[in-house]
Amino acid sequence: MKITDLKTTLVSVPHTEPEFISTGMRKGVTQCLIEVETDEGVTGLGESICRPNAPVIEAAVQSCKPLLVGSDPNNIEAVVNNIRHLGNWHFFERVGNVAVGGIEMALWDIVGKACGKPLYELLGGMVRDRMPIFYYLFRFELDEMERRAKQAVEDGWQLIYFKVGHDIHADIEAVEAVRGAVGSKAGIRIDANEAWTPGAAVRFIKQIEKFDVEFVEQPTPAKDFDGLAHVRRATNTPIGANQTSWTLQDVLEVVKRDAADVIVTDQYTTGGLLNYKKAVAICEAAGLPVNHHCWGELGIGTAAGAHMVASCPPFLYANQSYVMIHEDDIIAGGLPKIENGSIAVPRGPGLGITLDPDRVAAAAQRYREQGEFPSRLAHDKVDVTIIPKF
């Protein structure tokens, strides 16, 4: 079997409500749909997140086409190695990993379809048949956050997740309010998205420790490994490393420095499912759990993440997903169905999903007519700074 072509389509899907985080907001996602075709009529589906933006990622993916066409899609390690080194993406790893993450996903889909096996079987077999996910609670007035958190628990969700990092006093009040609303029936996880200095993170976390937060995700800047390790040593609440775990080497560095209690990563930051599996193995050897990270991906990327979670023991906590906040999807059947805070792992060959041509056409038209949903829009009346505040 040989690869004959690579096609890309930029698609935009709105959120049901605007998402606010410490560094800005966004109203939807624009993703790069990837289709890798072969001479045996098997087409693999992939999805790349559009970070930093859609034109950059589509260009990065298309730049890999000469290294793909004529290659055997079964030789995933070799194909990806050529893209990284002959394509020079190892020098520009963060953008390169995002592009490779989507391309390699399509190769796995081809291999699974060709042999009639679901991806989780190719990755080692199934240790769980559903991917537990969190309930994403947006920031509203406290009474509305309490109402939504209570309803989520009644609907079967076991973990409430929300963003912090914009106002330390309001964040403390939000944690207290949500814990009061759910009692001991659900866990709480918060994500600061690099909002604080190590000192500010320690100050904040010590004040919320009585509310039994499951873990605090990325409280300090991405490249400050020592700062993250300091926060972990100085507090009793578990610490999650996300932006600090951007690459396979970053994951190893976090482990070596004992800087986190849980690693939060994905197939885009590590540069593909194969590298993702290697990152999980590093964590497993170190006795660390892993949490699947989400960039707002649609059904293709969500399916890939579910196969990884299904095949690896260290995914011990509710994982990230934006399924509950997308208005629609581009796969047949629309948005994956959520039951009791989890998504079923697809059982069909490869990724186990197919495209819905009408949904793809509508999402592609939205991109053409309205442009992309930026990954960040500025908050109103926010001072721009690269230095976190106390």
Side-chain angles (χ1 to χ4, degrees):
M1 186 188 299
K2 299 295 182 183
I3 295 171
T4 57
D5 202 3
L6 176 147
K7 297 179 180 178
T8 54
T9 307
L10 295 176
V11 294
S12 289
V13 173
H15 289 333
T16 55
E17 297 173 287
E19 176 194 17
F20 291 85
I21 68 174
S22 64
T23 55
M25 62 168 287
R26 63 178 176 175
K27 298 181 179 180
V29 294
T30 297
Q31 307 288 70
C32 185
L33 165 62
I34 298 169
E35 297 173 89
V36 176
E37 299 178 350
T38 68
D39 60 358
E40 295 187 10
V42 181
T43 297
L45 301 178
E47 177 185 344
S48 281
I49 59 170
C50 288
R51 302 293 184 91
N53 58 55
V56 165
I57 294 305
E58 185 174 40
V61 171
Q62 284 290 345
S63 76
C64 300
K65 185 174 178 177
L67 296 167
L68 285 168
V69 173
S71 298
D72 185 341
N74 292 288
N75 296 330
I76 294 176
E77 188 85 72
V79 171
V80 169
N81 188 68
N82 282 343
I83 290 174
R84 285 204 176 98
H85 295 283
L86 298 182
N88 287 312
W89 283 113
H90 67 297
F91 288 125
F92 306 94
E93 193 169 25
R94 296 201 171 201
V95 171
N97 279 1
V98 170
V100 171
I103 294 170
E104 192 233 40
M105 191 184 300
L107 300 183
W108 281 109
D109 193 35
I110 290 171
V111 174
K113 287 173 177 175
C115 68
K117 296 290 185 180
L119 180 55
Y120 65 79
E121 288 194 15
L122 305 182
L123 293 174
M126 183 176 278
V127 297
R128 57 181 65 84
D129 62 1
R130 300 187 68 85
M131 178 172 75
I133 61 175
F134 59 44
Y135 177 85
Y136 193 165
L137 177 63
F138 283 1
R139 293 297 295 268
F140 300 98
E141 296 297 325
L142 293 183
D143 58 349
E144 179 64 8
M145 291 184 70
E146 291 171 339
R147 185 191 71 78
R148 294 193 183 208
K150 288 179 181 177
Q151 186 61 53
V153 172
E154 292 178 9
D155 292 341
W157 295 88
Q158 298 179 17
L159 182 75
I160 310 298
Y161 165 103
F162 59 94
K163 300 288 190 179
V164 295
H166 190 51
D167 182 322
I168 195 168
H169 302 293
D171 291 340
I172 293 171
E173 292 177 351
V175 173
E176 181 176 13
V178 173
R179 174 52 74 199
V182 303
S184 60
K185 296 179 181 179
I188 295 174
R189 185 189 307 165
I190 56 177
D191 184 359
N193 289 106
E194 309 176 68
W196 302 311
T197 62
V202 170
R203 174 190 173 204
F204 173 83
I205 294 170
K206 283 184 175 294
Q207 292 183 75
I208 63 160
E209 286 187 333
K210 60 185 176 182
F211 301 119
D212 190 26
V213 171
E214 180 189 71
F215 67 82
V216 178
E217 185 178 334
Q218 201 60 48
T220 53
K223 296 181 180 179
D224 189 1
F225 292 94
D226 290 335
L228 193 66
H230 167 72
V231 174
R232 182 177 182 241
R233 290 192 299 269
T235 59
N236 293 320
T237 298
I239 301 299
N242 173 215
Q243 286 90 335
T244 305
S245 300
W246 247 92
T247 66
L248 190 61
Q249 292 76 18
D250 286 345
V251 170
L252 180 59
E253 195 64 32
V254 171
V255 170
K256 287 163 63 177
R257 299 194 191 202
D258 227 9
D261 298 281
V262 56
I263 301 296
V264 186
T265 190
D266 57 76
Q267 64 265 24
Y268 302 112
T269 55
T270 55
L273 293 164
L274 202 55
N275 258 11
Y276 193 2
K277 186 86 173 179
K278 294 173 184 177
V280 173
I282 290 172
C283 297
E284 188 169 18
L288 287 179
V290 183
N291 196 245
H292 177 65
H293 176 256
C294 178
W295 292 95
E297 49 262 34
L298 300 172
I300 301 172
T302 297
H307 282 285
M308 182 62 69
V309 170
S311 66
C312 299
F315 291 95
L316 303 179
Y317 301 96
N319 301 279
Q320 300 186 14
S321 174
Y322 276 44
V323 168
M324 63 166 290
I325 67 171
H326 288 324
E327 281 192 4
D328 201 358
D329 211 311
I330 59 173
I331 61 173
L335 293 165
K337 187 177 181 180
I338 302 171
E339 293 182 350
N340 294 320
S342 68
I343 299 172
V345 179
R347 299 300 185 95
L351 292 173
I353 48 92
T354 57
L355 294 176
D356 182 320
D358 292 335
R359 285 186 164 98
V360 172
Q365 183 176 0
R366 184 181 293 110
Y367 173 79
R368 290 193 299 270
E369 293 179 352
Q370 302 176 19
E372 71 178 293
F373 286 107
S375 58
R376 290 291 184 273
L377 291 168
H379 290 301
D380 293 335
K381 300 177 183 178
V382 173
D383 294 328
V384 178
T385 177
I386 60 170
I387 302 174
K389 295 186 290 186
F390 281 107

